[in-house]
Amino acid sequence: MDLPWQLYCLFKKPGSGSLLCVHWSRVQNGQLSSLPVMISNPAIWAFRSSVRCWRHRAVLKAALQASDVKPSRWYSTSIRGGVTGMEEILARVVAPLPTYETRDKSPPPPESNSLEFMHFYSSLDKEDKLGFLTKLSQDFGVDHKNLSELAVRLLDTQLRDLATILQVEDRLRYGLTPRYKQLLNHISRVEGGVKFLVDLRADVLEIISSKASESPHIRDLNGTLKSLLSEWFSVGLLRLERITWQSPCEILQKISQYEAVHPVRNWSDLKRRVGPCRRCYAFTHAAMPMEPLVVLHVALTEDISDNIQSIVREFASFESEEDVNKINAAIFYSISSTQAGLQGVELGNYLIKRVVRELQFSSLSPIPGFSSWLQGLLSQYRKEGRGSDLLSEQEWKEVEQATDSAPGTPAMEALRKMITSSEWLRSERLARVLEPVLMRLCAWYLYGEKRRGYALNPVANFHLQNGATMWRLNWHADTSPRGVASSCGIMVNYRYFLSDTSKNSAVYLQNKVITLLQSRCSGWCPNFRKTAN
């Protein structure tokens, strides 16, 4: 008995140019027969759109290694098929939403649908991804007509019994489910699916932030993805790992690659950061093995550090051992979120709270944005002629003498340029003049500048939400070019007192009150003007 011909694979012979060879096979009279057929690029889309058995790809590739052929790349850039191809893919892989009555009885779609979607999307360039996501979110979202009918029905049932009202409400809730949400759920169950969706959301966030699309459907897709990822990455499903030099090489490489606050210079630098008197912790997830999600670096020190150079540059030797009698403080100096697609999914604060249970620590934190805020403030006060509100009369005299400038506007402009150029760091006299001024203004920036009632500075807002106490400002704490450019070299300690973190967090989030240690911050006051003392 002869069986029909079967399409087994699509491959390209070396040097065959744009022609591809389709390998057809069948069993005829008990013998396997093969028929190679050459086709041109316009026909490729039809073949690739019809192939469903992605799971057999590895087997086919291994089988072809014995022959003089080379498997071609699926969905290569030159053969994507345009809008029509996108529509065909989406119509095939995005299954219709089951009816309310059959929602628990409908069989799941084949795994090949998820894999086909993943492979196709990964082959697209940036512009085509935008079009693909727009079409997915717009044409395969919520059925608005059905939703309107359900809403009217809910209004009509308000005088009925409670059971009827609850059933209609449940129908309405189910009707709010976008059609593509089913596909996203099924993608999460295949190997590499969760990581794919995290990266997909990163693309969506980039589209939104760059304003490449103003479509409300794209924003709705982002909300759906964020909701799903928040469930999948809930803190109970995360694993806290301490990273050491004995950790897998792949993890160590990613720890180095993802460090966003104080870049790792080389492997020796990394070895020290996970060695004696150091702690490195990371959250990982079972669905993304060997992929740290949030990384936290801690230094064990004799005292609470007042500069970052003593932490990231002056390490103990590799062979030294920790002397517990000399460790009195744990300084958290860096936290990095590694996955752009998990933006808005709270992970960093949970990591800090988990580590606090093991180490009661302080942070030594940067103050990004202070320099740019200060530049804007000086420009504004110069235009308004309000220099006397910014510095005291004695401070202005010292600035005028140090910069050899005339009083008033020239002195303000000299101060602004001096801070911009960072030349003042090379002069002990200028640094002495600027220290009280910059420290007071920085204190106000952290304590008094707000956005919607919360700290304007993002790092401050992060620690205060987690229940930390503003503890101390540190002069010349980060004299690297990056530190001087972002915060005039100033850094701040936040202390985590385990017994107070919950109370401090609640007071900040509910009442927008910042907790600070008065004995350490006697110079801080709710005004940066000359009366501050």
Side-chain angles (χ1 to χ4, degrees):
M1 175 178 150
D2 294 346
L3 297 179
W5 289 96
Q6 300 291 327
L7 174 64
Y8 269 75
C9 191
L10 185 68
F11 56 89
K12 181 187 292 183
K13 285 189 176 181
S16 62
S18 63
L19 293 180
L20 297 184
C21 183
V22 183
H23 192 79
W24 295 84
S25 297
R26 72 172 176 176
V27 177
Q28 186 176 27
N29 298 326
Q31 299 294 321
L32 179 66
S33 300
S34 297
L35 176 64
V37 180
M38 303 303 292
I39 63 171
S40 59
N41 278 340
I44 294 170
W45 174 253
F47 284 109
R48 290 188 171 176
S49 296
S50 64
V51 175
R52 300 290 188 93
C53 300
W54 295 91
R55 69 183 68 186
H56 299 305
R57 186 178 177 196
V59 177
L60 294 169
K61 182 178 179 181
L64 289 169
Q65 286 177 348
S67 61
D68 185 26
V69 295
K70 184 187 295 182
S72 68
R73 178 173 179 236
W74 295 85
Y75 296 123
S76 62
T77 305
S78 61
I79 54 173
R80 284 189 299 271
V83 175
T84 303
M86 292 180 184
E87 291 175 346
E88 291 176 1
I89 283 285
L90 290 173
R92 185 165 61 252
V93 303
V94 186
L97 197 68
T99 64
Y100 179 80
E101 290 75 17
T102 63
R103 65 193 185 284
D104 298 325
K105 302 173 185 177
S106 299
E111 184 179 291
S112 58
N113 282 11
S114 299
L115 293 171
E116 187 172 5
F117 181 92
M118 293 165 64
H119 282 287
F120 179 78
Y121 181 81
S122 299
S123 74
L124 300 176
D125 60 24
K126 187 174 181 179
E127 182 179 348
D128 287 332
K129 284 181 177 179
L130 171 58
F132 188 69
L133 292 175
T134 300
K135 186 162 289 293
L136 172 69
S137 60
Q138 184 171 318
D139 297 349
F140 298 88
V142 172
D143 184 342
H144 296 288
K145 180 180 179 181
N146 178 57
L147 199 61
S148 299
E149 294 173 356
L150 289 171
V152 171
R153 189 183 305 176
L154 179 61
L155 291 174
D156 292 341
T157 59
Q158 293 304 301
L159 299 179
R160 302 281 297 277
D161 60 283
L162 180 60
T164 302
I165 294 174
L166 292 176
Q167 185 185 52
V168 176
E169 287 178 348
D170 195 45
R171 282 178 176 271
L172 181 61
R173 192 178 301 113
Y174 181 71
L176 286 167
T177 305
R179 181 175 164 184
Y180 55 71
K181 186 175 181 180
Q182 268 196 132
L183 175 65
L184 301 180
N185 271 313
H186 289 299
I187 288 175
S188 72
R189 296 167 191 166
V190 304
E191 184 177 355
V194 172
K195 172 61 174 170
F196 172 83
L197 292 175
V198 170
D199 293 339
L200 179 70
R201 182 167 183 254
D203 291 342
V204 173
L205 288 171
E206 184 181 357
I207 290 170
I208 294 173
S209 63
S210 65
K211 297 184 179 179
S213 172
E214 300 288 347
S215 169
H217 298 289
I218 288 288
R219 294 187 178 277
D220 193 52
L221 173 61
N222 176 53
T224 301
L225 282 165
K226 180 182 177 182
S227 176
L228 289 172
L229 292 171
S230 296
E231 292 178 14
W232 300 334
F233 287 89
S234 64
V235 68
L237 300 176
L238 301 177
R239 178 184 176 190
L240 178 65
E241 293 187 31
R242 180 185 169 189
I243 309 300
T244 69
W245 191 242
Q246 284 67 47
S247 297
C249 182
E250 186 178 352
I251 285 281
L252 290 170
Q253 186 172 2
K254 288 181 177 178
I255 293 292
S256 173
Q257 174 188 340
Y258 290 140
E259 173 54 35
V261 183
H262 304 290
V264 177
R265 297 185 294 276
N266 49 45
W267 280 102
S268 296
D269 187 7
L270 177 62
K271 187 174 183 180
R272 292 188 181 100
R273 296 195 191 196
V274 297
C277 297
R278 297 293 181 267
R279 296 291 185 270
C280 178
Y281 297 95
F283 263 152
T284 59
H285 192 281
M288 293 172 60
M290 309 300 290
E291 190 72 50
L293 306 176
V294 184
V295 182
L296 175 71
H297 288 277
V298 179
L300 306 180
T301 61
E302 191 169 353
D303 299 301
I304 294 179
S305 301
D306 60 3
N307 72 88
I308 194 63
Q309 284 75 28
S310 64
I311 293 177
V312 298
R313 295 181 185 174
E314 301 171 12
F315 293 101
S317 65
F318 297 142
E319 294 77 18
S320 65
E321 295 183 0
E322 293 180 1
D323 184 349
V324 295
N325 296 317
K326 292 184 178 180
I327 295 175
N328 300 312
I331 307 300
F332 148 49
Y333 66 93
S334 172
I335 186 168
S336 299
S337 179
T338 68
Q339 306 296 318
L342 293 179
Q343 178 183 323
V345 178
E346 294 296 341
L347 297 177
N349 56 350
Y350 290 120
L351 178 56
I352 286 180
K353 289 173 183 177
R354 287 281 294 275
V355 174
V356 164
R357 297 175 192 170
E358 300 186 22
L359 303 168
Q360 292 196 37
F361 63 88
S362 301
S363 80
L364 180 58
S365 299
I367 312 172
F370 169 60
S371 291
S372 58
W373 170 84
L374 180 57
Q375 293 293 330
L377 188 71
L378 289 170
S379 297
Q380 176 188 341
Y381 273 48
R382 183 192 60 184
K383 291 177 181 177
E384 298 174 357
R386 298 170 56 198
S388 60
D389 289 341
L390 202 57
L391 275 68
S392 68
E393 184 178 346
Q394 180 59 35
E395 287 171 338
W396 276 122
K397 286 182 179 179
E398 292 179 355
V399 169
E400 291 160 10
Q401 293 172 1
T403 59
D404 193 22
S405 57
T409 300
M412 290 194 71
E413 182 63 18
L415 176 61
R416 190 185 67 81
K417 288 183 177 179
M418 184 167 52
I419 294 173
T420 304
S421 67
S422 72
E423 292 180 0
W424 56 274
L425 276 175
R426 304 184 186 93
S427 168
E428 184 177 343
R429 180 188 177 191
L430 287 175
R432 186 177 65 253
V433 169
L434 290 179
E435 179 179 358
V437 174
L438 294 180
M439 289 286 275
R440 187 174 71 248
L441 293 172
C442 188
W444 170 257
Y445 170 69
L446 291 173
Y447 182 82
E449 288 297 315
K450 304 291 178 65
R451 176 183 287 123
R452 298 176 182 173
Y454 299 106
L456 173 66
N457 181 262
V459 177
N461 186 54
F462 173 80
H463 286 290
L464 294 169
Q465 284 184 357
N466 292 330
T469 298
M470 271 190 190
W471 196 69
R472 182 179 68 191
L473 278 180
N474 302 290
W475 179 247
H476 278 186
D478 185 0
T479 54
S480 68
R482 181 178 179 178
V484 174
S486 66
S487 61
C488 298
I490 305 172
M491 299 186 77
V492 58
N493 295 116
Y494 297 94
R495 290 204 65 177
Y496 284 82
F497 299 98
L498 190 57
S499 59
D500 296 333
T501 52
S502 295
K503 178 187 67 178
N504 292 346
S505 177
V507 168
Y508 179 70
L509 291 172
Q510 296 171 14
N511 303 326
K512 303 176 181 178
V513 173
I514 294 177
T515 304
L516 54 85
L517 193 64
Q518 294 294 339
S519 61
R520 287 279 177 177
C521 308
S522 57
W524 297 22
C525 82
N527 200 322
F528 59 75
R529 295 183 175 84
K530 59 185 180 182
T531 54
N533 53 56

